[in-house]
Amino acid sequence: MIRSLKIHLFTLVVLMLLSGNELFAQILKTSKPNVIIIYTDDLGYGDLSCYGNPTIKTPMLDKMAFEGIKFTQFYVAAPVCTPSRAALLTGCYPKRVGLHKGVLFPQSTTGLNPKEETIADLLKEQGYTTACIGKWHLGHQSKFSPLNQGFDTFYGIPFSNDMSRKEQVAMQGEKTNYKYKLPLMKGKDTISFEPDQRYITRDFTKKSVEFIKRNKKKPFFLYLAHPMPHIPIYASPDFEGESTRGPYGDTIEEIDWSVGEIMKTLKTLDLDENTLVLFTSDNGPWKVFKTEGGSSGPLRGAKGTTWEGGMREPFIAWWPETIKPQQLSTAIINNMDVLPTIAKITGAKLPEDKIDGRDISAILYGHDMALEDRPFFYYSTKGKIEGIRKGAFKMILREGVPQLYNIEEDISESYDLAGQNPEMVESLKKSMIAFDLQLEKENRPVGTY
C-alpha cells in the first residue's frame, strides 16, 4: 500500500511538472521570505488612527496593526531625513557613516559611501531582487545612486519633494534665487523634471505593485519610501477634500490606501504568508507648518528636535501566520535594528564593518527580549549628541543644562527629575559623552563626490 501511494505521488508530481501547474510552483517556492519596508516622510506619532488620531482614518494600517504587531517605543536615530535613512539602511548611527550633520541638498557633494553595506546589499547576496521606489535622499550624484547601494532598480526622486524651484516659487514668490528642479528618476536617468506631486503617492504605489507582480516567483526586497507627508503636501483628486483633518489628512489617507494596495496584492498573489512588511517613518512631523504638518500625539516636540516627538515613530510589523495578530509591544527598539533583524530572518550575513543595531526577530516571533539595558543616543540635526535613553529614563543636555525624565511615567516629558537624581544624571552624562567619543574614533569615511 505504501509503495502504491509513493507511485501515485510520483505520478502526480510528474504531471504537475509537465503541466506547469501553479500549485506545484507554490509548493516549491523559496523558503526565504520577501521583505517590504514602507518608509514615510515626516509622519508623526499621532497621525494614524491606530495610534490615537481622532480625525484621520487609516483603516488599512489599523488592519495591518490588528493582524500583526504594533510598537509603542520605536525610535529613529535622527530627527531629520538623511541621517535617519542612513541609519535604517546601514544599521548604524548616522555619525558612524558620516551622515549625521543634517539633510543633503541639491548642492551637496556627499552621500552614503558605496562601500557601506545596506539591507539591499545583504539581501542581494542571498539572491533577492531589490527595488527602491520613492525618495532616496542619500546622495543624488550617480556615485551615490541606489543602484550602487544594492538595489537592482530605482524609480523615484533623489531628495525631498520641496527641493524644487516650482515649490520654492510657490512658497517664496518669483524673487527666490532657488535654481534646482526636482527630478523624477529611473535608475540613474532623469526622465522628467517637476513631477505633478498630486499623483506621486499613486505613481509610486503603482510601480511597487508592478515590481511585486514581476517578482512573485522569487524572493524580493522592496523599499517603498513615500515622499509624503513632507511639505508640500499633496493628494490625488480621489482623496483631495475627503479627510476631516483637511489637506494633511487627505495625504495620510492616500498613504493608507497605498498600504492597502500592497497588502491586497500580496494576498491576491498568495504571497502574504511569505512576506514581512514593516511600516514606519523617518522622523517626527514638521509642526512649523501648523495644520499642514502632522501630530506628535501625546509627545513633546517635533521634527528636528530630540524630544520624543522628533524621534519616536509608529512602527508596525505584519507577516501573516508568522507574526501573531493583535500584539502590542512596548520594547524600546530603533530603526538601526531593522537591518540585523532582516539579516537573521533571511539568513543573510551581517556587514563586516561594525553596526549598532540589534536583532529583534525574537520579538516578532512573540518572544520576550531583554533590551532594557541598552542605551539610545539621540542626535540633533547638526550631529551634536544631546541625549540618552536607558530603561525608563531619558536624559537630555541642552546648553549644558541636564534634564531627566521618566518616559514610562511621563510620556510628554513634562516633569524634570534631574534635581532629584544627580547621581543618575551624572552617570548617564558620562555614558553619553563616552559613547560619542567612541563613535568619533570608529566613524567611517562619508562618501564624497
Side-chain angles (χ1 to χ4, degrees):
M1 182 177 176
I2 294 175
R3 184 171 181 275
S4 176
L5 179 60
K6 287 182 177 179
I7 292 172
H8 284 304
L9 285 173
F10 176 78
T11 304
L12 178 61
V13 168
V14 171
L15 289 172
M16 293 169 80
L17 275 171
L18 292 173
S19 65
N21 194 295
E22 284 295 317
L23 176 61
F24 188 69
Q26 287 299 314
I27 292 172
L28 291 182
K29 71 180 179 181
T30 177
S31 59
K32 291 188 180 295
N34 307 307
V35 179
I36 298 176
I37 299 176
I38 303 174
Y39 214 54
T40 56
D41 197 338
D42 291 3
L43 180 81
Y45 188 81
D47 279 338
L48 309 180
S49 51
C50 54
Y51 278 82
N53 194 290
T55 55
I56 299 177
K57 298 176 182 178
T58 55
M60 295 297 101
L61 282 161
D62 297 353
K63 177 180 173 64
M64 183 179 174
F66 183 80
E67 294 179 351
I69 181 170
K70 182 178 82 169
F71 291 83
T72 60
Q73 297 197 83
F74 174 84
Y75 292 88
V76 290
V80 291
C81 304
T82 298
S84 172
R85 291 159 194 271
L88 172 77
L89 291 177
T90 66
C92 297
Y93 281 105
K95 196 167 191 175
R96 190 176 296 284
V97 296
L99 288 173
H100 54 297
K101 293 183 178 180
V103 300
L104 298 177
F105 292 91
Q107 65 269 30
S108 298
T109 57
T110 57
L112 182 63
N113 195 322
K115 293 182 180 179
E116 296 292 342
E117 292 184 81
T118 68
I119 296 172
D121 284 315
L122 302 185
L123 293 183
K124 195 168 173 58
E125 291 179 0
Q126 292 294 303
Y128 280 68
T129 302
T130 58
C132 173
I133 297 175
K135 173 182 169 179
W136 178 238
H137 214 175
L138 291 172
H140 63 278
Q141 289 90 352
S142 179
K143 177 180 180 179
F144 308 123
S145 167
L147 302 188
N148 292 338
Q149 303 285 2
F151 291 98
D152 295 312
T153 59
F154 169 55
Y155 180 86
I157 58 176
F159 31 71
S160 294
N161 65 326
D162 65 331
M163 296 180 184
S164 146
R165 174 165 173 75
K166 176 182 175 182
E167 299 304 334
Q168 292 298 321
V169 168
M171 290 188 286
Q172 302 181 40
E174 287 289 349
K175 293 183 179 180
T176 180
N177 60 0
Y178 195 89
K179 61 182 180 180
Y180 301 102
K181 294 181 179 181
L182 181 67
L184 177 64
M185 303 184 71
K186 183 177 182 180
K188 296 183 180 181
D189 299 324
T190 297
I191 56 177
S192 67
F193 285 102
E194 307 291 11
D196 189 337
Q197 293 197 40
R198 294 176 301 167
Y199 300 99
I200 207 164
T201 298
R202 192 175 73 179
D203 185 26
F204 292 158
T205 304
K206 178 183 176 183
K207 295 295 183 183
S208 297
V209 168
E210 290 173 353
F211 171 78
I212 294 170
K213 289 180 176 179
R214 283 198 309 272
N215 295 282
K216 63 183 179 180
K217 294 184 179 180
K218 52 189 174 181
F220 63 78
F221 169 50
L222 168 63
Y223 173 48
L224 170 56
H226 286 295
M228 302 291 168
H230 191 291
I231 60 93
I233 50 173
Y234 285 98
S236 70
D238 289 340
F239 291 88
E240 191 174 7
E242 295 296 315
S243 171
T244 306
R245 174 64 164 77
Y248 187 85
D250 296 343
T251 302
I252 299 298
E253 291 184 6
E254 185 157 28
I255 290 173
D256 181 72
W257 163 84
S258 173
V259 171
E261 290 298 293
I262 299 297
M263 293 171 66
K264 182 174 68 176
T265 301
L266 293 173
K267 288 185 177 181
T268 300
L269 298 175
D270 196 25
L271 296 175
D272 53 327
E273 293 182 9
N274 197 43
T275 306
L276 169 64
V277 183
L278 305 175
F279 176 92
T280 187
S281 185
D282 62 351
N283 50 252
W286 209 336
K287 281 193 173 180
V288 68
F289 291 97
K290 300 177 182 179
T291 58
E292 289 196 5
S295 167
S296 298
L299 308 180
R300 181 178 182 177
K303 177 180 179 176
T305 75
T306 51
W307 298 114
E308 292 290 287
M311 306 192 65
R312 193 193 290 208
E313 287 297 317
F315 183 60
I316 303 170
W318 181 83
W319 189 358
E321 301 302 321
T322 299
I323 294 178
K324 295 179 181 179
Q326 303 180 51
Q327 289 192 77
L328 179 71
S329 175
T330 59
I332 306 169
I333 62 173
N334 65 47
N335 66 344
M336 295 175 286
D337 296 333
V338 173
L339 180 147
T341 301
I342 290 175
K344 179 68 173 182
I345 289 171
T346 61
K349 293 182 180 179
L350 289 176
E352 292 184 4
D353 290 326
K354 185 173 182 178
I355 65 170
D356 299 289
R358 182 181 296 186
D359 166 30
I360 60 159
S361 59
I363 298 176
L364 301 185
Y365 295 138
H367 306 301
D368 293 329
M369 286 188 70
L371 296 172
E372 289 74 15
D373 62 336
R374 183 177 65 169
F376 292 81
F377 297 84
Y378 301 156
Y379 300 87
S380 73
T381 58
K382 295 180 180 179
K384 180 182 177 182
I385 191 166
E386 286 191 346
I388 178 174
R389 169 80 189 270
K390 187 171 184 180
F393 290 91
K394 171 183 177 181
M395 189 209 72
I396 59 172
L397 195 64
R398 291 178 175 272
E399 298 180 354
V401 179
Q403 300 173 49
L404 181 70
Y405 300 95
N406 184 325
I407 299 300
E408 302 289 1
E409 298 177 355
D410 177 22
I411 193 174
S412 300
E413 297 172 282
S414 300
Y415 307 104
D416 183 6
L417 305 175
Q420 303 170 34
N421 300 274
E423 292 182 0
M424 181 184 296
V425 167
E426 189 62 24
S427 175
L428 290 174
K429 182 178 176 181
K430 286 182 179 179
S431 294
M432 184 181 79
I433 294 173
F435 182 76
D436 193 39
L437 291 173
Q438 180 184 344
L439 266 183
E440 287 184 7
K441 293 178 181 179
E442 297 176 349
N443 70 346
R444 302 190 285 269
V446 68
T448 54
Y449 179 68

